[in-house]
Amino acid sequence: MKKAADVIIIGGGINGCAAAYYLAKRGVKDVIVLEAAKSIGHGGSSRNGGGVRQSGRDPRELPYAMYAVKHMWPTLSEELGVDVEYCQAGNLRLGKTEAHLEKLNRLAQNARNAGVDVRMIDAKEVKEINPYLSDEIIGASWCPTDGHANPMLTTLAYYKRAVELGVSFVKDAPVKAIQKVKGKARKVITADGTVFEGETMILAAGYESREIARTVGIDIPMTRYFEEALVTEMQPPMFDQMLGTADADFYGHQAKHGSFVFGSECGLEEAADMPLTDTRTSSLTMSAGCRAIMGYIPALKDAKIVRSWGGWLDMCIDEVPVISPVEEVPGLILACAFTGHGFGTAPSVGLMLSQMVVGEETVVDISALRYNRFKADR
Amino acid sequence: MKRYDLIVIGAGPAGLSAAIEAAKCGMKPVVFDENAKPGGQLFKQIHKFFGSKEHRAKIRGFKIGDDLLKEAEEYGVEVVLNATVIGLYPEKEVTVKIGDEVKHFKGDAILAATGASENMVTFKGWTKPGVIGAGAAQTMMNLHHVMPGQRVLMLGTGNVGLVVSYQLLQAGCEVAALVDAAPRVGGYGVHASKVSRCGVPFYLSHTIMEAEGDEYVTGVTIAEVDDKFQFIPGTEKHFDVDTICVAVGLSPMSQLLAQAGCKMLDTPGGYIPECDEFGQTSIDGIFAAGDVSSIEEASSAMIEGRIAGVSIAAAAGYLTEEERKEQCGALESALGSLRKGMFAPENRGKILKETEEGIEISTNLLAKGYVAEDEITRYPGFVKKAGVHPVMECTQNIPCNPCQDACPKGCITIGENITSLPVVDVEKDCIGCGMCVASCSGQAIFLIDEEYEEGYASVTMPYEFLPLPEKGDTGTALDRSGKEVCLAEVVSVKSAKAFDHTNLLTIKVPKDMADKARFFQR
Amino acid sequence: MISVDDKLKEIGKYIPQPDDDMLVCRCEEVTKGEIRQAVHAGMFTIEEIRRFLRCGMGLCQGQTCGKLVKGIVARELKVSPAELEPAVSRAPMRPMEMEILGRDGGDK
Amino acid sequence: MGRIAEHPILGKAPEKDTVTFIFDGKEMEGKEGEPIAAALKAAGVMVHRYTKKKHEPRGIFCAIGRCTDCVMIVDGQPNVRTCITPLKEGMKVQTQYGVTAKEEGKGAGL
């Protein structure tokens, strides 16, 4: 097994796999990706709603979210040789109250300021776009260039292509520590004591990144949060838009094969304290989720749920990720704390990580996501 | 949240037995089952069970089911039907779909007795309508009174394949062949023999090449396989059938336990929870019993269930440790005796050469489904004497002994060891009552009278088909392989309540056919 | 620790077999050949295989094909099926209408 | 295939009311409360649905609600497991194509 490389990527999720792929694509093929689980993309990368959106995002994220939608997603299936089921059919963010609309309007304004086409529409127009939605919806924000894709396929497609290009992956290799050699991050030590060495390392291990970063004296202010989702049986094609709400009590879409995937919550998630490896769903969420879904799409009441799943989010204190080299630890690049919305931006994040490794300027400016932004604010 | 001291999931033999034992100790268990009827697979089992009295031997499965339900009612066990458990959570909470809503219940103890599901094999055309599980055939014919097909090929010669083949014949279907990729019959020899003598050919070391038909099955081609299970060209055989039944084993349905986070073991017998001797999984208070913890016969599942019920009651303080030990001890010895013999768990996969008595095992039985004429004479149940007497074609050590109690004259002995082959005492006088014939769950006992008439012998056989022949009917006698051997005349048909639907059919055949004729065909 | 490089080298190249077109997952209509090819693309776990191909993700949730898929993957990886973790079990155990699930009677 | 009027062990089939249902537009008879699949089997219907990807026919397979191969459109509702759904008078049962009925897909009771 290869144990030394130019680049060590800690975390075989979508960001780690995408970074590996873009590195290999540009010729940096001496790369090792270490994945803690036996399966690639076993964390949030396989456990998310598949949204590829710009609307509703923090202004600091918009440039690279837009870059991915404009320049990367449309050709990704072709590029990776796997249909990642990208569907650019718009995002409806639904509101049922005036307060909802106010919030949506604010987010829409943010997006427009950054140049994204997001506008507020009334109930009538909502129904024209999606006739299945509830009459209780009084308005929505509408971003026609948003969409969705299949997160499991996208992650595994990046992985498959990176393998084909010569990247070395090691699964079942949970990293315990990073060690500096002569002032520079150099060694990566796994739970069983195996030492991997690299010139540069990318830490993209979700919430687990926090413990690993601490071993070189870096603390990323993030918490973890458990979220669940429901999957329905295959349904006839109904609509293509990605749906969300002002309340964030519900999001989802119909996947290409016909199943609907909906995020769902029961309201007790804040208290979830299981180990990170425990992704079992709770006894309450499925029912709560179904009620929320039917509240927005009553027509789905007879659709059957075939599966529920859960996963952990790495929630940053300021709700946007940390994507940057760390000055105090030369050789270390952080890519974590995606706060539950890292899937849609993974192509551009992966690309920019590859640029950071070779010291190239990133395609868009993401200096607002630097690690050194965290300061006492009172 | 409503809390029970015991929630049992699955009202099959294990689940009901556990709930009954727990209730006997003063607990108030509830049993949830997703089906409209309780009893699990028991109500599809129309054959007589093996074992001894304590295992309810020679009683048909569905009657045991009836009795179990009565017992459950007697002890006040609450059985909720059409109640699908959709989730099992670590805090011993279950979510159950009852009617049109979901309910949550907690139990101080939970017992998963969720049973097993059928394994499958792939072959060309295996998804075509007409390819069904053997369990599906049983469900259709024995529960819903609908024939699964007109002409059926059975894949698999384990007990399920053998028993279901016989049941298909009883339902009026034709069984074209029994096929198994293994070189030996997997199930009890007596089950194989009763199918074989009806004229169903066995093809061992054969498997299905293709299920044919455009919209649904209209035929099947099988072929011989070598010891690496590869088809041998030129050995193809075609059968016109409308149904292919697949009976290639069962797997524990342990998904609920896995969901709850119980430590699971991946064994050759399936994905099972790791359990202690009382059936408790790695999660305190969550138990498993029956097929979900290891695939066995229903008789074992019932005892396992009782052990779990007693253990749960003891853990909850309804029994002292001494009482538990006493009750479990008796149950464990009953379970132990069922796990003896050639088909015992420790003998799985082994090729045995001789019986416990040191008698060479019939190779013909394993290769073709019936004991050859020159082999049968070496077993202690095969005797010759003047006048009517039993001939017992029981050649394997299986845990079963009702025959020795059935004979009012003490002609038959099995002895202390329940798996011993029956011995016929020629000194004792057989009165030809036929109780032994009807008592044999393997339908392996015949009454022979070689001096029935000048030049003729009579052969009395168990007969469980319709229409029942009548005295005076003439037809053909078939030998153990199902081959026609001579003309035969029905001289007596006896039915009695004590026989429990096993009719005693006596035919008259030429004297030299006394050791050959084993079935009657009109 | 599983080195994907080493394992791919060990199992060799994907070689087509005559029965590669055999359906294995009846619900999602996934063939043996698709499963075998996925293994050679680096999908070594049942989870990866099903995320990539959807086998076991359909209406029956792998109740029929689970063991079959495991057997094929194990053979391709040259390991015993027991070495492969089965797919995770998740509620609901049976497909269930949203309207019914939503009508959560709690403990009443 | 036919029904088993009298069985050597189970005796006569229990008396049940005959009900009429519609299968793909044709009137058919079955027994009240028996699984839809049993009524279809007794009437000789083998194909319950055609699959979505490969358009292959499927019918009864496990008969106990596990495998979901026997699903059909029942009273407008797709993916109904016919082997465990009791037959009722006047039910409308349709062959399922993918997840819809043949008449162009309106789908999930919409």
Side-chain angles (χ1 to χ4, degrees), chain A residues 278 280-284 286-287, chain B residues 89-90 93 95 104 259-261:
Chain A
D278 189 346
R280 285 175 295 174
T281 52
S282 93
S283 67
L284 298 169
M286 202 155 41
S287 293
Chain B
Y89 300 89
E93 177 182 347
T95 48
H104 298 244
Q259 187 221 334

Side-chain angles (χ1 to χ4, degrees), chain A residues 25-26 63 97 138 159 229 238-239 268 275 281 310 334 347 358 375:
Chain A
K25 187 186 169 193
R26 67 181 306 145
T97 65
I138 59 169
Y159 161 65
M238 284 167 66
F239 57 84
L268 303 178
T281 52
L334 297 177
V358 297
K375 302 207 165 72

Side-chain angles (χ1 to χ4, degrees), chain B residues 122-320:
Chain B
T122 54
F123 46 82
K124 199 171 172 201
W126 78 294
T127 57
K128 283 190 200 336
V131 178
I132 59 172
Q138 271 193 319
T139 305
M140 276 187 270
M141 60 191 174
N142 298 343
L143 279 191
H144 304 314
H145 311 278
V146 171
M147 286 164 75
Q150 296 288 353
R151 208 170 133 78
V152 187
L153 180 124
M154 176 69 68
L155 179 67
T157 62
N159 274 340
V160 174
L162 298 172
V163 165
V164 174
S165 293
Y166 191 73
Q167 291 175 358
L168 283 163
L169 296 169
Q170 290 180 306
C173 312
E174 202 183 323
V175 179
L178 261 155
V179 176
D180 202 317
R184 281 168 292 273
V185 170
Y188 288 0
V190 285
H191 279 320
S193 299
K194 70 187 192 193
V195 177
S196 182
R197 63 177 173 257
C198 295
V200 179
F202 281 59
Y203 292 92
L204 278 302
S205 294
H206 277 70
T207 193
I208 296 175
M209 284 189 83
E210 183 175 3
E212 295 142 12
D214 294 329
E215 289 286 277
Y216 45 81
V217 173
T218 55
V220 60
T221 299
I222 64 166
E224 199 174 338
V225 291
D226 61 23
D227 53 7
K228 291 188 183 70
F229 297 103
Q230 299 300 308
F231 288 114
I232 302 172
T235 59
E236 297 84 1
K237 292 155 193 85
H238 172 86
F239 299 89
D240 287 324
V241 295
D242 53 39
T243 303
I244 296 168
C245 253
V246 182
V248 292
L250 301 170
S251 285
M253 248 183 337
S254 55
Q255 291 92 337
L256 266 175
L257 292 164
Q259 187 221 334
C262 297
K263 191 168 176 214
M264 304 297 287
L265 298 171
D266 209 336
T267 70
Y271 197 50
I272 55 170
E274 188 180 87
C275 287
D276 66 15
E277 57 189 305
F278 311 119
Q280 180 161 279
T281 66
S282 63
I283 299 179
D284 198 45
I286 298 187
F287 291 75
D291 274 354
V292 71
S293 54
S294 75
I295 306 287
E296 282 182 88
E297 300 292 321
S299 320
S300 308
M302 285 185 279
I303 304 176
E304 263 188 45
R306 288 187 194 269
I307 292 174
V310 169
S311 305
I312 290 165
Y318 288 88
L319 288 181
T320 64

Side-chain angles (χ1 to χ4, degrees), chain B residues 1-2 34 84-87 89 97 99-105 117 119-124 126-128 131 250-251 253 255-256 258-259 266 268-271, chain C residues 19 21-26 62-65 67-68 70 81-87 89-94 96-97 99-108:
Chain B
M1 193 175 297
K2 175 146 191 183
E34 64 178 318
T84 308
V85 173
I86 54 180
Y89 300 89
K97 180 214 160 200
D100 275 343
E101 66 172 9
V102 173
K103 295 188 183 212
H104 298 244
F105 301 104
S117 62
N119 293 341
M120 279 301 145
V121 286
T122 54
F123 46 82
K124 199 171 172 201
W126 78 294
T127 57
K128 283 190 200 336
V131 178
L250 301 170
S251 285
M253 248 183 337
Q255 291 92 337
L256 266 175
Q259 187 221 334
D266 209 336
Y271 197 50
Chain C
D19 61 349
D21 61 348
M22 178 99 69
L23 272 191
V24 177
C25 170
R26 298 167 70 100
Q63 298 207 59
T64 312
C65 71
K67 219 171 165 174
L68 297 170
K70 217 170 153 204
E83 287 180 48
L84 291 175
E85 275 170 37
S89 297
R90 300 207 175 274
M93 288 296 137
R94 302 280 177 268
M96 193 127 316
E97 290 82 357
E99 194 175 24
I100 293 174
L101 279 172
R103 215 178 282 129
D104 186 343
D107 48 357
K108 288 181 284 292

